């Protein structure tokens, strides 16, 4: 499981809610819910957090 360093995790913020992020397994999770009421999740690929909002991530993968 890729682990984000504590130093990096301490400065990362959710691009949608601006809340701090916590690592849960292979994802980073926002500590505050978005307008939808859900906490946002961001994948970590090869040790690099992919901090694209969900709508932009879908467009990037298309």
């Amino acid at each position: 499981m890729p682990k984000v360093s504590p130093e990096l995790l301490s400065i990362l913020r959710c691009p949608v809610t601006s809340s701090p992020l916590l690592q849960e397994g292979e994802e980073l999770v926002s500590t505050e819910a978005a307008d939808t009421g859900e906490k946002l999740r961001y994948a970590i690929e090869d040790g690099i957090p992919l901090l694209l909002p969900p709508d932009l991530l879908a467009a990037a993968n298309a």
Side-chain angles (χ1 to χ4, degrees):
M1 161 176 56
K3 189 92 166 137
V4 176
S5 74
E7 294 84 13
L8 179 58
L9 198 54
S10 73
I11 61 172
L12 290 178
R13 296 290 180 261
C14 172
V16 176
T17 66
S18 299
S19 66
L21 297 166
L22 298 173
Q23 185 166 0
E24 290 183 5
E26 295 187 20
E27 295 180 314
L28 296 179
V29 182
S30 63
T31 55
E32 293 181 19
D35 293 339
T36 60
E38 295 179 336
K39 292 185 177 182
L40 299 172
R41 297 183 162 280
Y42 301 95
I44 302 169
E45 290 186 11
D46 298 322
I48 301 170
L50 302 179
L51 297 179
L52 287 174
D55 54 336
L56 292 178
L57 186 59
N61 289 331

